[in-house]
Amino acid sequence: VRDLRLVARLVAKADVVVPLAALVGAPACTADPWTARDVNLGSVLGIVQLLSPDQRLVYPNTNSGYGASGSNRPCDEDTPLRPVSLYGTTKCEAEDAVLAAGGVSLRLATIYGFSPRMRLDLLVNDMVHRAVTDRAVTLFEAHHRRSVVHVRDVARAFIHASTEGYASMS
């Protein structure tokens, strides 16, 4: 996504663009803020500039954009975005550009599901791993709500948003 000539060639061939590349998570973005801004925001701004009016853009934002709401109520599309990390900030700034260009943003909960490599940094995967290996699960901050969504449901949402759902969502 940092090679704009390659991105331009690929975008030119696409009916729908879903920019999935990102430096994910607050710790990774804090460790390398330049790359976080370049990949999470800069690449999306470049894609927005390359799109023609007949191409669709479906953007995956993160629930990290909501920040610490202090409320136990579920977030929805009307909940204000108040990111507290560079990760959340870059994703929300990119969402602003996508929406200004007429694209659609999906604000995703923590995604879980099968992966080619074990992702123990993800809550559901870690809980299942601990249940199997330790035969117990410890819940930290058990009073907190945690929103999760399966990767297959996310894929279905992207398909819906990029086809028949696009007109009603934008």
Side-chain angles (χ1 to χ4, degrees):
V1 295
R2 296 163 99 181
D3 181 343
L4 288 180
R5 281 187 278 218
L6 173 62
V7 172
R9 286 195 312 269
L10 296 173
V11 167
K13 299 176 188 176
D15 295 325
V16 179
V17 177
V18 181
L20 295 175
L23 192 60
V24 176
C29 291
T30 300
D32 191 351
W34 187 86
T35 300
R37 285 206 161 275
D38 194 37
V39 173
N40 296 2
L41 177 59
S43 66
V44 175
L45 294 176
I47 289 169
V48 165
Q49 294 299 313
L50 294 168
L51 290 174
S52 68
D54 60 327
Q55 290 176 301
R56 295 176 175 177
L57 178 59
V58 181
Y59 178 71
N61 201 349
T62 170
N63 61 4
S64 293
Y66 293 116
S69 70
S71 165
N72 206 21
R73 293 187 356 237
C75 297
D76 62 23
E77 59 274 1
D78 295 321
T79 302
L81 294 174
R82 295 186 180 110
V84 296
S85 67
L86 179 61
Y87 173 58
T89 299
T90 59
K91 295 293 285 182
C92 289
E93 289 174 2
E95 178 187 87
D96 288 343
V98 167
L99 295 176
V104 172
S105 179
L106 302 179
R107 295 180 182 167
L108 304 172
T110 299
I111 302 169
Y112 72 96
F114 182 77
S115 173
R117 70 175 176 84
M118 183 57 77
R119 294 281 313 273
L120 295 180
D121 58 317
L122 300 174
L123 177 70
V124 173
N125 294 2
D126 180 61
M127 288 177 63
V128 171
H129 178 73
R130 289 175 188 268
V132 171
T133 58
D134 301 344
R135 315 254 326 133
V137 174
T138 302
L139 291 179
F140 297 97
E141 299 177 328
H143 60 285
H144 282 249
R145 283 187 162 179
R146 291 168 173 88
S147 300
V148 295
V149 62
H150 195 275
V151 67
R152 276 179 277 191
D153 294 320
V154 172
R156 287 184 192 109
F158 280 122
I159 291 167
H160 179 75
S162 62
T163 56
E164 65 273 356
Y166 196 89
S168 64
M169 296 173 88
S170 57

